[in-house]
mmCIF file of all heavy atoms in Angstrom:
data_model
loop_
_atom_site.group_PDB
_atom_site.id
_atom_site.type_symbol
_atom_site.label_atom_id
_atom_site.label_comp_id
_atom_site.label_asym_id
_atom_site.label_seq_id
_atom_site.Cartn_x
_atom_site.Cartn_y
_atom_site.Cartn_z
ATOM 1 N N THR S 260 5.916 236.596 -10.476
ATOM 2 C CA THR S 260 6.879 236.923 -11.587
ATOM 3 C C THR S 260 6.208 237.495 -12.807
ATOM 4 O O THR S 260 6.770 238.305 -13.477
ATOM 5 C CB THR S 260 7.740 235.697 -11.927
ATOM 6 O OG1 THR S 260 6.841 234.602 -12.251
ATOM 7 C CG2 THR S 260 8.590 235.340 -10.810
ATOM 8 N N ALA S 261 5.005 237.053 -13.127
ATOM 9 C CA ALA S 261 4.253 237.558 -14.300
ATOM 10 C C ALA S 261 3.988 239.059 -14.223
ATOM 11 O O ALA S 261 4.207 239.826 -15.141
ATOM 12 C CB ALA S 261 3.023 236.780 -14.519
ATOM 13 N N THR S 262 3.590 239.483 -13.007
ATOM 14 C CA THR S 262 3.287 240.868 -12.746
ATOM 15 C C THR S 262 4.607 241.695 -12.850
ATOM 16 O O THR S 262 4.610 242.796 -13.458
ATOM 17 C CB THR S 262 2.644 241.095 -11.423
ATOM 18 O OG1 THR S 262 1.449 240.320 -11.346
ATOM 19 C CG2 THR S 262 2.300 242.554 -11.165
ATOM 20 N N PHE S 263 5.622 241.236 -12.227
ATOM 21 C CA PHE S 263 6.942 241.891 -12.225
ATOM 22 C C PHE S 263 7.503 242.052 -13.659
ATOM 23 O O PHE S 263 7.945 243.090 -14.071
ATOM 24 C CB PHE S 263 7.929 241.079 -11.313
ATOM 25 C CG PHE S 263 9.319 241.671 -11.367
ATOM 26 C CD1 PHE S 263 9.566 242.972 -11.028
ATOM 27 C CD2 PHE S 263 10.444 240.835 -11.577
ATOM 28 C CE1 PHE S 263 10.803 243.498 -11.053
ATOM 29 C CE2 PHE S 263 11.711 241.303 -11.564
ATOM 30 C CZ PHE S 263 11.950 242.656 -11.259
ATOM 31 N N TYR S 264 7.281 240.953 -14.459
ATOM 32 C CA TYR S 264 7.775 240.900 -15.844
ATOM 33 C C TYR S 264 7.071 241.966 -16.685
ATOM 34 O O TYR S 264 7.673 242.673 -17.488
ATOM 35 C CB TYR S 264 7.600 239.512 -16.380
ATOM 36 C CG TYR S 264 8.242 239.247 -17.733
ATOM 37 C CD1 TYR S 264 9.620 239.375 -17.853
ATOM 38 C CD2 TYR S 264 7.475 238.878 -18.797
ATOM 39 C CE1 TYR S 264 10.253 239.106 -19.056
ATOM 40 C CE2 TYR S 264 8.111 238.630 -20.071
ATOM 41 C CZ TYR S 264 9.479 238.734 -20.167
ATOM 42 O OH TYR S 264 10.073 238.470 -21.353
ATOM 43 N N ARG S 265 5.744 242.040 -16.525
ATOM 44 C CA ARG S 265 4.993 243.035 -17.288
ATOM 45 C C ARG S 265 5.355 244.416 -16.929
ATOM 46 O O ARG S 265 5.409 245.324 -17.773
ATOM 47 C CB ARG S 265 3.463 242.790 -17.086
ATOM 48 C CG ARG S 265 2.895 241.536 -17.711
ATOM 49 C CD ARG S 265 3.262 241.386 -19.147
ATOM 50 N NE ARG S 265 2.751 240.125 -19.747
ATOM 51 C CZ ARG S 265 3.137 239.615 -20.871
ATOM 52 N NH1 ARG S 265 3.985 240.216 -21.579
ATOM 53 N NH2 ARG S 265 2.651 238.498 -21.265
ATOM 54 N N GLY S 266 5.621 244.643 -15.664
ATOM 55 C CA GLY S 266 6.087 246.004 -15.259
ATOM 56 C C GLY S 266 7.401 246.351 -15.865
ATOM 57 O O GLY S 266 7.606 247.499 -16.365
ATOM 58 N N VAL S 267 8.328 245.430 -15.899
ATOM 59 C CA VAL S 267 9.628 245.586 -16.598
ATOM 60 C C VAL S 267 9.423 245.942 -18.052
ATOM 61 O O VAL S 267 10.073 246.850 -18.590
ATOM 62 C CB VAL S 267 10.567 244.367 -16.394
ATOM 63 C CG1 VAL S 267 11.791 244.530 -17.292
ATOM 64 C CG2 VAL S 267 10.917 244.198 -14.981
ATOM 65 N N GLN S 268 8.577 245.149 -18.714
ATOM 66 C CA GLN S 268 8.305 245.408 -20.168
ATOM 67 C C GLN S 268 7.818 246.823 -20.412
ATOM 68 O O GLN S 268 8.263 247.502 -21.368
ATOM 69 C CB GLN S 268 7.279 244.432 -20.668
ATOM 70 C CG GLN S 268 7.866 242.985 -20.835
ATOM 71 C CD GLN S 268 6.747 242.041 -21.267
ATOM 72 O OE1 GLN S 268 5.651 242.054 -20.804
ATOM 73 N NE2 GLN S 268 7.051 241.161 -22.210
ATOM 74 N N LEU S 269 6.919 247.327 -19.581
ATOM 75 C CA LEU S 269 6.380 248.722 -19.725
ATOM 76 C C LEU S 269 7.482 249.733 -19.599
ATOM 77 O O LEU S 269 7.547 250.699 -20.415
ATOM 78 C CB LEU S 269 5.286 248.957 -18.726
ATOM 79 C CG LEU S 269 4.650 250.386 -18.781
ATOM 80 C CD1 LEU S 269 4.012 250.597 -20.149
ATOM 81 C CD2 LEU S 269 3.659 250.479 -17.645
ATOM 82 N N ILE S 270 8.353 249.550 -18.599
ATOM 83 C CA ILE S 270 9.467 250.488 -18.379
ATOM 84 C C ILE S 270 10.393 250.481 -19.622
ATOM 85 O O ILE S 270 10.812 251.560 -20.106
ATOM 86 C CB ILE S 270 10.274 250.091 -17.143
ATOM 87 C CG1 ILE S 270 9.457 250.344 -15.871
ATOM 88 C CG2 ILE S 270 11.590 250.883 -17.004
ATOM 89 C CD1 ILE S 270 10.073 249.753 -14.623
ATOM 90 N N LEU S 271 10.654 249.305 -20.155
ATOM 91 C CA LEU S 271 11.553 249.213 -21.299
ATOM 92 C C LEU S 271 10.968 249.817 -22.597
ATOM 93 O O LEU S 271 11.690 250.430 -23.364
ATOM 94 C CB LEU S 271 11.920 247.756 -21.505
ATOM 95 C CG LEU S 271 12.731 247.116 -20.391
ATOM 96 C CD1 LEU S 271 13.073 245.661 -20.776
ATOM 97 C CD2 LEU S 271 13.948 247.847 -20.078
ATOM 98 N N ILE S 272 9.672 249.645 -22.764
ATOM 99 C CA ILE S 272 9.026 250.244 -23.948
ATOM 100 C C ILE S 272 9.087 251.745 -23.939
ATOM 101 O O ILE S 272 9.484 252.449 -24.880
ATOM 102 C CB ILE S 272 7.556 249.770 -24.067
ATOM 103 C CG1 ILE S 272 7.493 248.283 -24.459
ATOM 104 C CG2 ILE S 272 6.759 250.629 -25.061
ATOM 105 C CD1 ILE S 272 6.136 247.686 -24.404
ATOM 106 N N LEU S 273 8.842 252.335 -22.717
ATOM 107 C CA LEU S 273 8.970 253.797 -22.577
ATOM 108 C C LEU S 273 10.366 254.250 -22.766
ATOM 109 O O LEU S 273 10.636 255.315 -23.399
ATOM 110 C CB LEU S 273 8.435 254.229 -21.162
ATOM 111 C CG LEU S 273 6.929 253.963 -20.950
ATOM 112 C CD1 LEU S 273 6.609 254.281 -19.474
ATOM 113 C CD2 LEU S 273 6.093 254.846 -21.851
ATOM 114 N N ALA S 274 11.341 253.532 -22.248
ATOM 115 C CA ALA S 274 12.755 253.900 -22.414
ATOM 116 C C ALA S 274 13.170 253.788 -23.863
ATOM 117 O O ALA S 274 13.936 254.675 -24.366
ATOM 118 C CB ALA S 274 13.603 253.002 -21.522
ATOM 119 N N ALA S 275 12.731 252.798 -24.607
ATOM 120 C CA ALA S 275 13.044 252.636 -26.036
ATOM 121 C C ALA S 275 12.509 253.828 -26.829
ATOM 122 O O ALA S 275 13.192 254.344 -27.735
ATOM 123 C CB ALA S 275 12.550 251.356 -26.583
ATOM 124 N N ILE S 276 11.264 254.212 -26.560
ATOM 125 C CA ILE S 276 10.654 255.383 -27.236
ATOM 126 C C ILE S 276 11.388 256.645 -26.925
ATOM 127 O O ILE S 276 11.717 257.448 -27.884
ATOM 128 C CB ILE S 276 9.187 255.474 -26.841
ATOM 129 C CG1 ILE S 276 8.408 254.248 -27.366
ATOM 130 C CG2 ILE S 276 8.571 256.759 -27.435
ATOM 131 C CD1 ILE S 276 6.936 254.207 -26.825
ATOM 132 N N LEU S 277 11.772 256.847 -25.700
ATOM 133 C CA LEU S 277 12.535 258.011 -25.325
ATOM 134 C C LEU S 277 13.943 258.080 -25.973
ATOM 135 O O LEU S 277 14.361 259.111 -26.454
ATOM 136 C CB LEU S 277 12.699 258.020 -23.772
ATOM 137 C CG LEU S 277 13.433 259.241 -23.164
ATOM 138 C CD1 LEU S 277 12.741 260.556 -23.578
ATOM 139 C CD2 LEU S 277 13.498 259.176 -21.671
ATOM 140 N N LEU S 278 14.583 256.913 -26.065
ATOM 141 C CA LEU S 278 15.915 256.879 -26.667
ATOM 142 C C LEU S 278 15.834 257.162 -28.185
ATOM 143 O O LEU S 278 16.659 257.903 -28.727
ATOM 144 C CB LEU S 278 16.518 255.435 -26.431
ATOM 145 C CG LEU S 278 17.985 255.353 -26.953
ATOM 146 C CD1 LEU S 278 18.921 256.247 -26.253
ATOM 147 C CD2 LEU S 278 18.442 253.891 -26.713
ATOM 148 N N MET S 279 14.802 256.645 -28.812
ATOM 149 C CA MET S 279 14.600 256.911 -30.251
ATOM 150 C C MET S 279 14.320 258.391 -30.467
ATOM 151 O O MET S 279 14.827 259.027 -31.405
ATOM 152 C CB MET S 279 13.457 256.088 -30.768
ATOM 153 C CG MET S 279 13.786 254.637 -30.973
ATOM 154 S SD MET S 279 12.365 253.677 -31.558
ATOM 155 C CE MET S 279 12.094 254.445 -33.144
#
Side-chain angles (χ1 to χ4, degrees):
T260 53
T262 303
F263 178 51
Y264 190 60
R265 292 305 179 195
V267 171
Q268 286 177 317
L269 179 60
I270 292 171
L271 298 183
I272 288 171
L273 293 174
I276 293 171
L277 181 58
L278 185 60
M279 288 178 63

